[in-house]
Amino acid sequence: MKSSGTCPQCDVPLRRNGFRVQLFEDAGVEKDIDIRRRILREFNKQEEEFATLREYNDYLEDVETIIYNLVNGIDVLATNKKIEAYKRDNRESIVRNRARGRTEEDELDEILQMENELNEERAREEQERLQAEKRNKVQKKEALIDELMTSYGDAKKIVASHTKVAEPEAPVAPKPRPKPTQFSSGVRIGSTRLPAVPIVPQDEGEPFVYAAPELAMDGPAAPDSERLSADGYLSHIKRVGDAERAGGYAASLGCLRALQEGMAGLLFFPGADG
Amino acid sequence: MKKILPIDAEKPTGASLISTAPKCLRKNVQSFFLTPSEEKIVAQYYECHLRDFCKAFQPPMPKAVSGTASHYFKRFYMHNSVMDFHPKGILVTCVYLSCKVEEFNVSIGQFVANVKGDKEKATDIILNNELTVMHGVHYHLTVHTPFRPVEGLLIDIKTRCPSLQNPDRLRPIIDEFLEAVFFTDAVLLFAPSQIALAAILYAVSRVQENLDAYVTSQLLASAARPQLQALVEAVRKIRLLVKTVEQPQRDVVKQLERKLDKCRNQENNPESQAYKRRMREMLEDDDDVPSYKVARVDSDS
C-alpha cells in the first residue's frame, strides 16, 4: 500500500502517518483544536508581559482572529504571513514561555495521574471485596452440606447454627496497600519539584471585632435571661407543658418577653428630647 | 329639605368640594359635610360597637385581638374620613384582620356567623376592604397592646416587691381600666408600658395600697429625676383621660348617621350604583383579549 496519495475532494497530497485518531465526534471541532494547538504553541505570551489589561485583551483577540481565519479559510495567505512575522519578531519570548508552560502542564498531569491512581485503587478494592464475599458464601454452603452429610445431629439444628454463625462475622476491612514511592533502585517516583513561590500576604482588611447588639429600651433594663430563675422571676409565670417544651419553648422565653415589654418605653417621651 | 348638590365624580372630599363650590353655597356645603368633631363622635360610637362585637364573638376572642382591632380602627380613621369609608364595613374588616395578625384562627365563614344581617354581603365587604384597611394603617400590622406589659410588670412586682399581698386580686380592676383606656386616644399617645403602669397604679390605689416606693426605688432606679417626673406626669394624664371619657349619645349619633348617609363617598358604598359600576370596570379592564372581527378570505375566487 502506497504511503501517500491525494485527497479525492481537494487534491491535497496526504501521507499515511499524517492521520490520527479522531477524539471528538464533530470533525470541525477536531480541526479547530488542531489549528489552535499549533498556533498557541507560537503565540504563548503571558498576561505579565503586557502593560495594561487592554493590551493583553487586544493580543488575545488577535490570536482568536487568526485561528478563526485559518479554520474557516479566510485570508489564509495573509494570516500565514502574519504568523511568520510574529514568529520572527518574538523568537526568544516564545522559547522562554514554552519552557515555563511545560512545567505548569507537568504539574497538571501529575495531579491527573494521582486522581486516576486513586480511582483505580478504589475500583480494585471494590472488586476484591466482592470476590472475597463470593468465595465466603460458597465456602459456607459447602461446609453446611458437609456437616449435613457427615454428622448425626438434627438437620434443622445444623442449619440453624450455620445461619446464626453467618451473621456476627464483621466484614474485615482490606489492609491499605502502601503505595510505592520508590523504585527498587532508590529513585523517587514523581518529579522533583522546585519549591513553590512564597504566597504574598494579601490585605484582608480590619479583623472583625465582636460587639454585642445593644437594645434601645427607652426605659429600665430587663433582668438578664440567665438570672431569671435565680432571682425567682420564673416562679410567677405559667407552668410550661411538655408539648410546649418539646416545641422549643421555655418558661424563660415567655418571662423575658413579658418583662421586656413591661420595661421598654416606660421612659419614652416623644418630642421631649427632640 | 336641602337640595342635594350634584357631586363631581372626581373623588370629592370635603375640603376640595368646599373650595370649588360657588360662594353662596359654601356655607351650606360646610354644614352638609361632617365636621371633624362630628366625625370623631361617629368613629367613637362605632368603636364601642367594635368592642361589643368582639366581646360577643364566638369562639371567645382573646383580649389582645380585640385591642389590636381597636387600634387598627383608631389608626385608620386618623388618616381617612368616615365619609370616605363607612365605619360599619371598616369595623368588621379591622376585627378580621386582627384575628389573622394575632394568630387567632377563624375562617371567614365562622367570622360572618357572628355578624348580624346578610352574611354574603358581609363577606364581600370584609374581603374587599381588607387591603384598604391595611393600606390605611400604613401596613404597620404589629400592634403592641398594653396587655403583655401588664403581665411583665406583675411578674416584676411579684418577684421584687413581696410586700404587696396577692397582686392577682388587682387583675379585674386592671382589666376594667384597660377597657376604658381603649375608648380614649391614650394608645395613640403613650407607650404601652406606660399605659400598663398607669393601670397597675390605678388598681393599687383602688385597693388602698401604695406602690410608689417600688416604682421609684426598684423599677426606675436607673432613671434620672426629670425622666421620673415626666413619667409621673404621663401616668397622671392617662388616668385623667380615662376618667373623663364619655360615651357618645345615641340620638346624637343617629342624627349624624343620617347626615353621613347623604354625604358619604358613594364610590366606596357597596350599595350604590357608582360602586357597582367601578367594580364592573375593574373586572373588565382585566380582559386583554381584543375582540375584532377577522375578514373572511374567499378561497375560491
Side-chain angles (χ1 to χ4, degrees), chain A residues 95-112:
Chain A
V95 166
R96 196 181 357 116
N97 287 340
R98 209 174 287 175
R100 182 157 20 141
R102 203 173 295 144
T103 46
E104 284 178 10
E105 273 179 41
D106 288 346
E107 281 174 25
L108 286 169
D109 280 339
E110 233 187 80
I111 295 174
L112 275 170

Side-chain angles (χ1 to χ4, degrees), chain A residues 48-66:
Chain A
E48 289 84 36
E49 298 185 36
F50 292 90
T52 65
L53 183 64
R54 183 65 206 260
E55 288 178 23
Y56 181 53
N57 287 336
D58 287 342
Y59 165 77
L60 290 177
E61 199 177 338
D62 287 338
V63 172
E64 289 300 318
T65 319
I66 289 176

Side-chain angles (χ1 to χ4, degrees), chain A residues 4-152:
Chain A
S4 72
T6 46
C7 166
Q9 266 195 330
C10 48
D11 273 343
V12 163
L14 302 165
R15 256 177 280 130
R16 165 106 54 89
N17 48 18
F19 283 81
R20 51 174 179 278
V21 180
Q22 189 173 343
L23 289 168
F24 293 92
E25 258 187 48
D26 187 9
V29 171
E30 271 293 339
K31 182 176 175 190
D32 192 281
I33 58 173
D34 180 59
I35 293 178
R36 193 176 283 271
R37 202 175 300 148
R38 205 175 4 112
I39 302 248
L40 287 175
R41 220 181 318 179
E42 320 292 326
F43 290 77
N44 52 10
K45 279 207 190 156
Q46 308 275 1
E47 186 172 347
E48 289 84 36
E49 298 185 36
F50 292 90
T52 65
L53 183 64
R54 183 65 206 260
E55 288 178 23
Y56 181 53
N57 287 336
D58 287 342
Y59 165 77
L60 290 177
E61 199 177 338
D62 287 338
V63 172
E64 289 300 318
T65 319
I66 289 176
I67 295 177
Y68 182 81
N69 286 347
L70 287 177
V71 167
N72 297 315
I74 309 167
D75 276 347
V76 181
L77 290 169
T79 317
N80 279 332
K81 271 213 209 102
K82 233 193 284 183
I83 301 177
E84 294 302 311
Y86 176 86
K87 270 207 288 210
R88 251 177 290 130
D89 294 335
N90 303 303
R91 210 173 317 148
E92 310 88 35
S93 84
I94 291 178
V95 166
R96 196 181 357 116
N97 287 340
R98 209 174 287 175
R100 182 157 20 141
R102 203 173 295 144
T103 46
E104 284 178 10
E105 273 179 41
D106 288 346
E107 281 174 25
L108 286 169
D109 280 339
E110 233 187 80
I111 295 174
L112 275 170
Q113 206 179 10
M114 287 210 297
E115 282 181 20
N116 277 340
E117 283 181 15
L118 253 156
N119 285 344
E120 277 180 35
E121 183 85 25
R122 234 176 281 154
R124 230 179 304 146
E125 287 178 21
E126 191 65 30
Q127 273 278 6
E128 283 189 12
R129 198 173 58 82
L130 284 171
Q131 294 266 8
E133 254 188 60
K134 242 190 268 180
R135 254 178 286 141
N136 228 344
K137 258 204 260 184
V138 170
Q139 269 180 359
K140 286 219 192 65
K141 244 205 205 143
E142 296 197 351
L144 172 62
I145 295 180
D146 282 337
E147 240 198 273
L148 285 173
M149 268 202 315
T150 54
S151 81
Y152 292 98

Side-chain angles (χ1 to χ4, degrees), chain A residues 160-177:
Chain A
S161 74
H162 265 261
T163 46
K164 213 171 13 115
V165 165
E167 278 168 38
E169 222 182 83
V172 175
K175 242 190 324 174
R177 191 175 316 143

